[in-house]
Amino acid sequence: MDLFDSELRVIASARELASSLGADAHHTVAAAAMDTTGRIHTGVNVNHFTGGSCAEIVAIGTAAAAGAGPLVTIAAVGDHDRGVLSPCGRCRQVILDLHPDALLILPDRATGGETIAAVPALLPHAYRHPDAAPMRLLRLSARYFDAVRTGTKTLSVRWNESHRTGPALAYFEDTEHGTIAVDITSVARKRLDALTAGDLELTRPTGLQRYLANLRSHYPTMPEDATVEIVRFRRTTSDI
């Protein structure tokens, strides 16, 4: 999947910081994390024989200190031109509990570049800390901003994102639009190849085919037999 410019900025920030680390064996990885306003927060790992923090965790702490709120993209880069690194198991668990809707930048071994993945896809059957209670994000294309703002868009189909009912922020990818407070009212799971026009509240004869084509464009690696989530939501603020 092609990366947005905003995601490329996150990688560039992590690369720049990693290139400055020098030969200090205590600090060998840099991480960058972007919040919903487009601000990028960075950190480096801390190696120590008593245990230390990965760069992703330090960046999350830096973001929290800045009052960042939910994070949307996280990347880690190794020193000495080691490139983008996959997060370790502990980082994946922390991100799942604190920022479950963040996208993680990963090395793409097939192309030699980078790709992205939602953290739930990297931790199937994961444990979730019962007291974490993070603010959830519903990631949407920028072209839906006006429809969500006016309350005319109330449904989205998601894959590999593991949504739940309750309060959330609609976040419009790679855009300067602000978030919109929404309430996710239901999450229904169904196989992609079994979706019907009724499931998606479509009335036009060709509506289902067009919707599925757009969905596959958004999720190019999604298999035909994937289980998707039909997420219904409503705007919870009235100022439009």
Side-chain angles (χ1 to χ4, degrees):
M1 179 184 297
D2 293 336
L3 302 183
F4 288 126
D5 288 344
S6 58
E7 293 161 347
L8 294 175
R9 286 199 301 114
V10 174
I11 299 172
S13 294
R15 286 190 193 279
E16 181 178 5
L17 183 54
S19 68
S20 71
L21 293 180
D24 188 343
H26 301 296
H27 309 293
T28 58
V29 178
M34 187 176 71
D35 63 26
T36 59
T37 69
R39 291 185 300 169
I40 294 178
H41 311 271
T42 60
V44 301
N45 69 318
V46 181
N47 284 328
H48 192 265
F49 73 92
T50 61
S53 295
C54 293
E56 296 96 321
I57 305 303
V58 176
I60 288 171
T62 300
L71 299 176
V72 298
T73 309
I74 301 173
V77 173
D79 62 354
H80 302 299
D81 297 321
R82 289 185 291 139
V84 169
L85 305 176
S86 293
C88 72
R90 182 179 67 166
C91 286
R92 296 181 191 200
Q93 184 66 54
V94 170
I95 296 168
L96 181 71
D97 287 332
L98 302 185
H99 299 282
D101 305 302
L103 292 180
L104 304 183
I105 307 293
L106 307 172
D108 187 339
R109 293 179 177 84
T111 65
E114 292 84 28
T115 187
I116 55 176
V119 64
L122 303 181
L123 281 175
H125 313 295
Y127 168 82
R128 283 199 168 182
H129 192 291
D131 299 325
M135 172 55 71
R136 300 303 303 266
L137 293 177
L138 180 61
R139 308 176 72 106
L140 297 166
S141 169
R143 68 178 180 272
Y144 296 129
F145 176 75
D146 286 335
V148 174
R149 184 179 62 87
T150 58
T152 57
K153 181 174 178 61
T154 59
L155 182 150
S156 183
V157 177
R158 321 305 297 171
W159 176 59
N160 264 350
E161 295 181 16
S162 190
H163 287 282
R164 295 181 178 183
T165 57
L169 295 175
Y171 167 71
F172 302 91
E173 295 179 310
D174 197 40
T175 177
E176 294 182 358
H177 290 310
T179 58
I180 295 175
V182 298
D183 187 60
I184 296 178
T185 57
S186 69
V187 181
R189 293 170 177 82
K190 192 167 185 179
R191 276 177 53 127
L192 176 67
D193 53 11
L195 285 178
T196 67
D199 291 327
L200 307 181
E201 301 174 6
L202 301 172
T203 56
R204 294 181 180 179
T206 61
L208 179 61
Q209 289 75 21
R210 293 179 61 186
Y211 195 104
L212 292 177
N214 288 335
L215 192 63
R216 291 189 181 98
S217 175
H218 186 72
Y219 298 114
T221 62
M222 181 175 59
E224 292 293 329
D225 61 351
T227 297
V228 297
E229 295 177 335
I230 305 169
V231 179
R232 288 179 169 83
F233 60 93
R234 61 181 179 85
R235 182 173 180 181
T236 56
T237 53
S238 58
D239 53 314
I240 60 173

